[in-house]
Amino acid sequence: MTTILSTQNIVDNKLEKLAKRVQKLKERTIRPKMKVVLVGENSASLVYVGIKEKTCKKLQCDFELLRLPHDVTRKEFLNEVDSMNNDPSIHGCFVQLPVPEHLQDIDVTSLINPEKDVDGFGGATIVDIYKGKTPFFLPCTPMGVLELLNHNQIEALGKRVVIIGKSLIVGRPLSLLLQNMGATVTVCHSKTQNLESHTLQADIIISAVGSPKFLTKDYFNKDLNQVVIDVGINRDHNGKLCGDVDFENVKNIVSAITPVPGGVGPLTVISLMENLVKSAERATKG
Ligand code: GUN
């Protein structure tokens, strides 16, 4: 029997706990506040930012979105990030990625005040992870994946983990975190030859490719009781949300698999909220 690793229960539980922490802060007249800078009209970014705003509101946290035109000047963009970094009412902030091409040579994630880096993309976080230390803010999607494994008592220690995707947001930090937990990690990417030769030998496969139903059943080994974590959020040819994994055809040959939607995505947003509340709590301690 395959376990479908739905995350609704974990999310509800975490929301309840976070609401209590927000209430405690409120008693001390602190209301956690997140600010997001969004440049241009990227449709996926608009959806993601909308979800973050909704979750903030649900938890009675403040949310501010600054939308800048796609042709904003570098100077204006940098000024806005700077003022967000220095605004004492803001506990967590970030620039929603990607930014338009003329800003892409700016190391945007390094611009964010490390005290407010609730995305967990900045240098301080990465250096900690690289050194095997736990950073104050864990990057949100890797944090969600680790929570999912932990909640379902899926051990990483000694396991062969294959991650597909080497992005700074998911693949790279997650590979280090899993190594820190004692997993043997292989990071595959778009130039990897014979991808299936890696996935067919893995105990845990984590996909962050961003290509609808890219991983067909040929990539999985029915004899290994594999765990499949699908980080992809894509649309299929009918416009329906789907992951990187061909869920319908894979689900019966693996031991556990995350659905899309309803898998890693909601845990990523909850992780962001956990980082925001943690940041606001730290601020009350001065
Ligand atoms: N673009 C896609 N995912 C993310 C995210 O988690 N944070 C930011 N800042 N941009 C993104």
Side-chain angles (χ1 to χ4, degrees), residues 45 48 52 94-98 109 119 121 140-141 169 268 272:
S45 292
Y48 293 144
K52 291 169 188 178
F94 54 90
V95 176
Q96 185 69 23
L97 301 173
T109 56
D119 253 343
F121 293 169
C140 301
T141 302
I169 298 182
T268 297
L272 181 69

Side-chain angles (χ1 to χ4, degrees), residues 52 60 66 99 101 105 128 148 153 156 160 163 173 182 188 196 199 211 225 229 238 243 246 248-249 264 280:
K52 291 169 188 178
Q60 297 187 22
L66 175 67
V99 290
E101 216 167 303
D105 63 316
D128 275 350
L148 183 80
Q153 288 156 12
R160 292 165 297 188
I163 299 175
C188 301
E196 64 278 16
T199 58
S211 181
N225 290 324
I229 312 273
N238 295 317
D246 182 3
E248 281 309 316
N249 292 309
V264 176

Side-chain angles (χ1 to χ4, degrees), residues 140-150 174 206 229 231 264 267:
C140 301
T141 302
M143 183 172 166
V145 171
L146 297 190
E147 181 58 44
L148 183 80
L149 295 175
N150 185 43
L174 186 54
I206 302 172
I229 312 273
V231 178
V264 176
L267 279 181

